[in-house]
Amino acid sequence: MNWRAVLALGALVLSGACHSAGSGDDPPTAAPSPTSAPSPTATPDPLGPPPADAAAAVAGLTGFFASQPGAGGCADRLKSAWGAFCLEGDVDGDGKADAAYLVPIHPAASAAAAPAVVVLRRARGGPFERFPADGDADASALGLLAFSIADRNGDLTAEISYLRNSCTATACSGHVQIQSWDGTAWRDIGPGDDGVVAVSGIEFTGKAADTKIAVRGGKMTAPGAGPTRP
């Protein structure tokens, strides 16, 4: 065999080996393109922003406790997010502690300095109840003096008390209301007056049926009212 035949045979063998090694391999595939991680979805706050009216306060509390069934009656979140105040006591005589919330509201316009609503959450469940329905409660320092859950009439159940404001263009009158559950409905057993103009102090003395309420005020501040005394 001459040298030309040897070279031709070597080239043929090499070509067959390369073809055999490559014929069984899968075709090359492109590297997978990187995928971005899905962006986290923000969970809406069931409590929502500070309420603008009494209905929004009830809706926010309802949603908050529905989303957190294990939350205690006086949850810290209500104070930190809304500035709400909370008290507990048995107002319906079922032996379980109910919770009442004094919730500041932020209406677009109000003559009252610190409008609020009192919302009751009963331990046995059921819809939340509000006092007064139109949100005329007071959440100022004086309103906090009036806000209580305590037995005020000696029936061994607690009553809910709060300061309700009635405002004109020149002055606000404060009326301490005491809501008592008679087994079927709420009754206001507070002072039977029309309120005190420009309340400056509220004090509870005594207990149960011996409870007395002193409301100080009465000083007119409108121009032209003339000399007045509390």
Side-chain angles (χ1 to χ4, degrees):
M1 184 179 295
N2 60 31
W3 61 271
R4 287 189 177 87
V6 172
L7 289 177
L9 180 59
L12 181 61
V13 171
L14 181 61
S15 173
C18 291
H19 177 74
S20 175
S23 62
D25 293 342
D26 294 332
T29 56
S33 59
T35 57
S36 58
S39 58
T41 302
T43 302
D45 184 357
L47 190 59
D53 53 36
V58 172
L61 288 171
T62 302
F64 174 75
F65 284 106
S67 68
Q68 303 185 49
C74 291
D76 292 339
R77 174 91 171 104
L78 304 178
K79 174 66 175 177
S80 62
W82 280 7
F85 300 90
C86 175
L87 296 173
E88 293 183 294
D90 181 11
V91 300
D92 53 12
D94 66 355
K96 300 178 181 179
D98 311 297
Y101 310 92
L102 180 64
V103 181
I105 58 176
H106 306 273
S110 175
V117 62
V118 175
V119 182
L120 173 66
R121 180 194 183 210
R122 298 206 207 188
R124 67 184 184 188
F128 286 53
E129 299 165 271
R130 68 192 193 196
F131 311 96
D134 50 8
D136 286 340
D138 187 287
S140 68
L142 287 170
L144 288 178
L145 291 176
F147 181 49
S148 71
I149 290 186
D151 182 6
R152 302 295 185 188
N153 60 0
D155 66 354
L156 303 181
T157 61
E159 279 70 49
I160 305 171
S161 68
Y162 54 89
L163 179 64
R164 180 175 189 173
N165 282 322
S166 176
C167 296
T168 66
T170 57
C172 289
S173 295
H175 183 193
V176 175
Q177 294 193 325
I178 302 177
Q179 297 292 342
S180 179
W181 179 252
D182 66 6
T184 57
W186 294 100
R187 295 185 298 113
D188 177 15
I189 62 171
D193 53 45
D194 294 328
V196 176
V197 175
V199 174
S200 60
I202 298 171
E203 182 181 8
F204 287 90
T205 58
K207 295 181 179 180
D210 294 327
T211 297
K212 295 180 176 61
I213 307 170
V215 182
R216 297 179 177 85
K219 186 175 181 179
M220 300 296 293
T221 58
T228 61
R229 63 181 183 179

